[in-house]
Amino acid sequence: MTDTRGDNGRVTILDIARATGVSKSSVSRFLDERARPSNSETAQLVRRVAAELGYVRDVSAANLRRGSTGMIGVIVPRLTDTVMAMLYEALAKAAGRHQRFTIVATTDDDPAANQRAVDMLLARGVDGLVLATARIGDGFAERLAAHGVRFVLALRTDDIHPSSVGDDRLGGFLATRHLIDLGHRRIGLIAGPADASNAVGRVEGYRQAMAEAGIEVRPEWVVPSTFGLEGGHRAARQLIALSERPTAIFAVNDNTAIGAVSALTQAGLNVPGEVSVVGYNDIPIVSHLPTPLTTVRIPFDQVAARALELLIEGPDTHGDPISRAAPTLIPRKSTARPA
């Protein structure tokens, strides 16, 4: 076969068209990985000749024609947080199914760093953004929308803009209902930060379950915290210092739950013999703890897949722009009936 390579040595669609006698537009269609594959004789000839010539699809050129780079920017507080790492891996897989790839920026939970991360990613030509850093009332999403930035919120929402989250209220309800069904009535809550919608939703679920069971929530049972180990440790110490300490604790994420278990153990309290503990998210480590943690599982793959759909295809104009994935209670050894 005659070598038809271009002057720069790269095999192009035009080279394959010349070698096969097939139109350039047909060659492009047959070699487009996003299109439904054709098994016609002509299509098979084009693919065979492309392979023989060493054709490699020029993604950058294709993206320029579409006004796209194929890159999705992801902004998370930090990747040392297992939840955020799990979300990012799920987003990367979901992006791959759409023939796109992800690039990540971290903010260390600093609101001022959000804008710097957005500017950096937009400067690199991303087609859109997935943000897992939304804070209630900060107006950041509104500013992005006002500037025409294409974005979707993940795990946290402002209840206005397109978002893919877990059903946190339901998850908080399931965790608390589990403890109530075991017979607990004094249930403490490590509530997380008040400006994170996922924490707020789980607190609402806790209060709903307690109200439906006719249990009054004492103000001292609800302790704000960070999402970190130390935050859970401090909050648990505060709860067990009460004159009538809780017999169970619901922590709004697994890290705070692990911190709580550490504080309880240091105080000489048995889990679950004296205090039951429930976490949230089902990160991998919690099933391997000396006392495996009862928790609520979030389907991260489902959250990520829906986030990419909302970003690429846009929200359903006739439906709720907030997609909520149903959580699942995972009972393990850290919860039991009260002594």
Side-chain angles (χ1 to χ4, degrees):
M1 181 178 291
T2 303
D3 190 347
T4 59
R5 294 172 187 268
D7 293 340
N8 63 0
R10 185 186 184 96
V11 177
T12 67
I13 287 176
L14 181 58
D15 297 329
I16 298 169
R18 288 170 178 165
T20 59
V22 178
S23 71
K24 183 179 175 182
S25 60
S26 295
V27 169
S28 176
R29 186 173 69 255
F30 293 144
L31 296 179
D32 190 341
E33 297 169 354
R34 299 166 301 140
R36 184 185 298 274
S38 170
N39 290 319
S40 68
E41 290 185 9
T42 304
Q44 293 179 39
L45 169 65
V46 166
R47 289 194 288 267
R48 184 173 68 251
V49 170
E52 292 172 354
L53 292 178
Y55 170 76
V56 177
R57 183 167 175 259
D58 188 345
V59 177
S60 60
N63 285 334
L64 284 172
R65 288 193 296 273
R66 296 197 305 267
S68 154
T69 62
M71 291 191 298
I72 302 295
V74 181
I75 302 178
V76 299
R78 59 186 65 82
L79 288 175
T80 52
D81 182 332
T82 306
V83 170
M84 293 300 164
M86 292 171 69
L87 173 67
Y88 181 67
E89 288 185 2
L91 286 167
K93 290 178 184 176
R97 293 193 292 271
H98 291 276
Q99 286 77 52
R100 289 166 168 81
F101 66 97
T102 55
I103 180 173
V104 66
T106 60
T107 66
D108 199 29
D109 249 342
D110 176 8
N114 264 346
Q115 188 61 56
R116 295 195 296 271
V118 167
D119 292 343
M120 178 196 73
L121 291 169
L122 292 179
R124 282 157 177 77
V126 297
D127 297 333
L129 298 170
V130 180
L131 294 94
T133 54
R135 291 172 177 267
I136 294 172
D138 67 358
F140 189 69
E142 286 86 347
R143 292 193 292 275
L144 290 182
H147 286 86
V149 176
R150 191 177 186 88
F151 70 93
V152 64
L153 307 179
L155 292 186
R156 303 182 191 179
T157 181
D158 61 359
D159 287 324
I160 299 171
H161 296 95
S163 310
S164 180
V165 298
D167 190 334
D168 294 302
R169 184 179 184 120
L170 174 59
F173 178 89
L174 292 175
T176 310
R177 186 72 240 184
H178 169 68
L179 294 170
I180 293 170
D181 289 344
L182 286 172
H184 293 279
R185 293 298 179 267
R186 301 199 307 270
I187 303 172
L189 175 68
I190 300 178
D195 60 358
S197 67
N198 46 358
V200 170
R202 295 164 200 176
V203 172
E204 291 173 349
Y206 161 85
R207 292 187 179 279
Q208 178 186 350
M210 297 287 274
E212 288 186 7
I215 304 171
E216 181 182 359
V217 177
R218 299 181 187 177
E220 63 269 24
W221 288 355
V222 180
V223 182
S225 72
T226 65
F227 278 135
L229 294 166
E230 287 300 321
H233 191 280
R234 286 192 298 270
R237 289 185 55 145
Q238 184 173 332
L239 287 169
I240 62 178
L242 297 173
S243 57
E244 193 174 14
R245 71 166 182 260
T247 62
I249 295 173
F250 167 39
V252 296
N253 81 344
D254 287 337
N255 281 338
T256 53
I258 293 170
V261 170
S262 171
L264 295 169
T265 302
Q266 289 177 14
L269 296 172
N270 178 266
V271 176
E274 293 172 277
V275 183
S276 289
V277 178
V278 180
Y280 204 104
N281 286 318
D282 195 28
I283 62 176
I285 193 174
V286 299
S287 63
H288 301 285
L289 296 173
T291 302
L293 184 69
T294 296
T295 188
V296 176
R297 178 178 296 163
I298 294 294
F300 287 100
D301 288 345
Q302 185 178 338
V303 169
R306 183 58 178 151
L308 266 293
E309 289 174 3
L310 287 168
L311 186 65
I312 294 168
E313 301 170 9
D316 182 352
T317 56
H318 302 289
D320 189 341
I322 318 300
S323 174
R324 291 179 172 85
T328 307
L329 179 75
I330 309 296
R332 295 195 180 101
K333 301 292 187 181
S334 68
T335 51
R337 296 188 64 82

